[in-house]
Amino acid sequence: MVRSKKLKFSRNIFPKLGKSWQLFFAVVIALLLTLNFSRVATAAAKHYSDLQFNSLPGIKLPKYERFQLNNGLVVYLMEDHELPLVSGTTLIKTGSRWEAGDKVGLGDIVGSLMRIGGTDKHSPDQLNEILEQRAASVETDINESSGTASFESLTEDLETVFGLFAEVLREPAFAPEKLELIKTQIRGSIARRNDDSDNIASREFRKLIYGENSPYARTIEYATLDKIQREDVINFYGQYFHPNNIILGIVGDFNPKKMRSLIETKLGDWQPNPNIAKTQLPPVQQANLNGLFFVNQPQLTQSSILMGHLGGKFNSPDYAALDVMNGVLNGFGGRLFNEVRSRQGLAYSVYGLWDPRFDYPGMFITGGQTRSDATVQFIKSIQLEIKRIQNQLVTEKELRYAKESTLNSFVFNFQDPGQTLSRLMRYEYYGYPADFLFRYQKAVRKTTAADVQRVAQKYLKPENLVTLVVGNQSAIQPPLTQLASKITPIDITIPGSKTQTQKSTEK
């Protein structure tokens, strides 16, 4: 439509010219108009820091319903009729942190096998075929601190898909051949786990902070994987998967009365476990209070660096001020980006943040990637920035930027009803108040420059910083000995691998 109008316009101005000339002049006129508009746009352009925006609108929770079945299953319902879709998810009070230390990987296997192992009524292939025909999905997973089972369906297929979802949740068959398939896949991932320097750094750093035997840091090995049998899978499932240990949330295009009836029909007769025990959380303490650790990777041309120490939880009374501190340190306008990357040119990536968890201490973690020959200066620069935020008040400009970016990102927690429902469920799961985010939002607005300095002094502990470098030892110049007299090497040889067997033979 736009193109035809332009050609018509050119013919009116040049009625006696041929079509090729008409097209030529039309293009010239279009270019001139474009250039003129671009000049106006350039003249009117402002620096991002000069832009002004309207105040953020208030955020309200969508209407939802919460109830509990007689068997203890907690249910959240939230209607959303924008699209003919329904999705649901469960939170199961379990997690890989409760698997036995000699069978690390069991939780991961249970979470995968529940879905791909079929049910008592449907084989894995039958389950896949029914779902694919309806463009639906049912998925399961067990992570560090929770288990999940979820479904997505068109409204017209809800009854069928929810029935399959209930089967997977209540009657998993744990097909033996699928168990072996999962174990083969995990063996492949173990063999490849040292292929990426960032993965090495993340894995080994958690061991340095939490301890290599901590459930928050231990890794699956060939030996622990080989010990896992189908009986272990069934026992782990039987210990945690009961209706009085589950929260179910459903959002989408459904009739509330019919949805209630469907839930009662498929899950209401599921017998609870009256003797289910409240599992104690594993204790947490920092394994190394400081130190410089190194993983030598001769093939690298850059260093991956992580520095940090044990942190805290979301329910800290200072969480909002700590998050504003994160905003001062991070992002395009943050100190680390401006100083370490932009001014000094030391980093490909750089960050530093207080990273809490819901029910166990997280970490304060900082680091990034840099050239091998800039490794020492990169670490020194980050150390200086940590001390600077403790010793100097942040400027009003920095404070305003950090608070605005924090509050602006806050609205993305409520982009759709599904996100909102997920948060409500997670807060109940971990025992947080339903209005936790709104309390946090108010606290961010009240945060002052003095608050940022106070929490930096209270929670950041430069003397307890653990530093891990993954890089090329011969290319790191000046050497790491400029930072510490003792450098502890870390051997990342995979236990049970051919490389380790060769090393043992050489000894």
Side-chain angles (χ1 to χ4, degrees):
M1 293 297 292
V2 175
R3 185 180 176 192
S4 64
K5 288 181 180 179
K6 286 183 177 178
L7 291 175
K8 183 178 179 181
F9 176 65
S10 65
R11 291 190 187 103
N12 291 336
I13 298 178
F14 309 111
K16 296 181 180 181
L17 296 177
K19 288 184 178 180
S20 60
W21 281 101
Q22 292 173 3
L23 182 59
F24 170 76
F25 281 112
V27 172
V28 171
I29 290 170
L31 285 171
L32 290 172
L33 289 171
T34 301
L35 287 171
N36 185 49
F37 284 132
S38 66
R39 285 178 187 147
V40 173
T42 302
K46 294 181 178 180
H47 190 266
Y48 78 90
S49 60
D50 296 325
L51 298 176
Q52 294 184 353
F53 302 95
N54 294 329
S55 300
L56 291 171
I59 298 174
K60 295 182 179 180
L61 290 178
K63 187 178 179 180
Y64 68 92
E65 181 183 7
R66 181 196 179 281
F67 59 93
Q68 191 167 357
L69 302 187
N70 291 334
N71 59 13
L73 181 72
V74 174
V75 181
Y76 283 83
L77 297 182
M78 186 177 288
E79 294 179 67
D80 178 18
H81 300 286
E82 186 174 352
L83 294 171
L85 300 172
V86 181
S87 62
T89 190
T90 60
L91 282 176
I92 302 101
K93 293 180 181 178
T94 182
S96 60
R97 59 186 173 183
W98 288 304
E99 65 196 4
D102 63 341
K103 295 181 180 179
V104 177
L106 177 58
D108 187 25
I109 288 175
V110 174
S112 298
L113 193 57
M114 279 184 66
R115 167 61 182 86
I116 72 169
T119 70
D120 291 345
K121 296 185 179 70
H122 293 91
S123 70
D125 289 342
Q126 289 173 333
L127 191 61
N128 291 337
E129 184 178 354
I130 296 171
L131 292 170
E132 287 172 4
Q133 288 174 347
R134 290 162 176 78
S137 68
V138 173
E139 303 296 338
T140 58
D141 180 58
I142 292 179
N143 59 32
E144 182 181 83
S145 56
S146 66
T148 60
S150 60
F151 73 89
E152 290 187 356
S153 168
L154 293 170
T155 302
E156 63 188 46
D157 298 320
L158 175 60
E159 188 169 343
T160 298
V161 175
F162 188 82
L164 294 175
F165 164 76
E167 280 185 35
V168 169
L169 194 59
R170 295 182 59 176
E171 305 168 2
F174 298 125
E177 69 275 12
K178 296 299 183 181
L179 171 60
E180 291 308 312
L181 173 62
I182 292 172
K183 292 174 75 171
T184 299
Q185 293 171 338
I186 294 175
R187 288 188 186 97
S189 66
I190 293 174
R192 297 188 299 272
R193 74 184 185 195
N194 289 335
D195 291 351
D196 182 87
S197 60
D198 284 342
N199 288 342
I200 295 171
S202 176
R203 181 186 73 235
E204 297 303 322
F205 189 75
R206 291 182 71 85
K207 292 180 183 179
L208 293 173
I209 298 299
Y210 292 107
E212 63 180 358
N213 294 320
S214 167
Y216 301 114
R218 60 195 180 191
T219 55
I220 303 175
E221 304 292 356
Y222 293 124
T224 66
L225 186 64
D226 289 342
K227 288 184 178 180
I228 297 171
Q229 305 300 318
R230 184 170 179 269
E231 183 180 1
D232 299 311
V233 173
I234 294 171
N235 290 340
F236 189 94
Y237 169 84
Q239 186 174 357
Y240 299 104
F241 284 75
H242 304 281
N244 53 326
N245 205 38
I246 295 175
I247 301 172
L248 168 66
I250 298 177
V251 61
D253 181 38
F254 58 80
N255 178 289
K257 290 184 178 179
K258 291 182 178 179
M259 192 72 247
R260 261 182 176 259
S261 175
L262 184 60
I263 293 170
E264 284 281 4
T265 301
K266 300 297 182 181
L267 299 174
D269 63 343
W270 191 5
Q271 293 302 305
N273 180 359
N275 300 317
I276 196 163
K278 184 176 181 181
T279 311
Q280 294 297 315
L281 294 177
V284 175
Q285 60 183 9
Q286 187 163 329
N288 296 279
L289 293 179
N290 49 47
L292 178 57
F293 300 82
F294 182 70
V295 177
N296 188 27
Q297 295 286 275
Q299 76 278 10
L300 297 180
T301 58
Q302 64 186 33
S303 297
S304 292
I305 301 163
L306 289 177
M307 306 163 62
H309 54 69
L310 199 64
K313 296 188 286 187
F314 282 107
N315 60 6
S316 164
D318 291 320
Y319 168 51
L322 286 162
D323 221 21
V324 175
M325 180 190 75
N326 286 350
V328 173
L329 291 173
N330 287 291
F332 287 107
R335 288 185 174 184
L336 291 175
F337 186 95
N338 289 344
E339 178 63 24
V340 181
R341 175 172 171 164
S342 297
R343 196 184 74 79
Q344 298 186 44
L346 293 175
Y348 305 119
S349 65
V350 62
Y351 56 89
L353 68 155
W354 184 261
D355 188 25
R357 291 291 181 266
F358 279 104
D359 62 357
Y360 74 93
M363 294 184 286
F364 168 68
I365 186 166
T366 181
Q369 291 182 328
T370 188
R371 308 184 314 273
S372 296
D373 62 358
T375 302
V376 171
Q377 187 56 43
F378 178 88
I379 293 172
K380 287 181 177 179
S381 295
I382 289 184
Q383 290 172 339
L384 285 174
E385 289 305 316
I386 293 173
K387 291 178 181 177
R388 186 160 75 97
I389 202 168
Q390 289 183 313
N391 298 329
Q392 298 176 12
L393 281 174
V394 299
T395 66
E396 282 302 316
K397 183 178 180 180
E398 286 179 311
L399 180 67
R400 184 173 63 253
Y401 168 82
K403 291 172 67 171
E404 287 178 353
S405 60
T406 301
L407 291 170
N408 287 340
S409 64
F410 177 81
V411 300
F412 292 102
N413 295 311
F414 304 90
Q415 289 185 96
D416 59 66
Q419 281 183 311
T420 304
L421 183 59
S422 176
R423 284 190 170 274
L424 289 171
M425 292 171 62
R426 199 158 295 278
Y427 290 153
E428 175 160 347
Y429 182 88
Y430 289 108
Y432 280 60
D435 65 343
F436 174 74
L437 265 183
F438 297 100
R439 296 184 188 184
Y440 157 80
Q441 186 185 34
K442 292 177 182 177
V444 168
R445 290 196 177 104
K446 294 179 180 178
T447 300
T448 65
D451 290 327
V452 173
Q453 185 179 39
R454 175 181 59 80
V455 296
Q457 291 173 344
K458 180 178 179 180
Y459 294 95
L460 302 188
K461 303 182 185 302
E463 70 280 5
N464 288 344
L465 279 178
V466 173
T467 302
L468 173 65
V469 178
V470 179
N472 183 344
Q473 185 174 14
S474 61
I476 296 177
Q477 297 296 333
L480 294 176
T481 50
Q482 284 203 0
L483 298 170
S485 58
K486 180 183 178 182
I487 301 170
T488 305
I490 296 177
D491 183 5
I492 59 169
T493 304
I494 300 168
S497 65
K498 291 181 180 179
T499 304
Q500 190 195 41
T501 303
Q502 289 170 355
K503 286 186 175 182
S504 299
T505 304
E506 291 170 0
K507 290 180 181 179

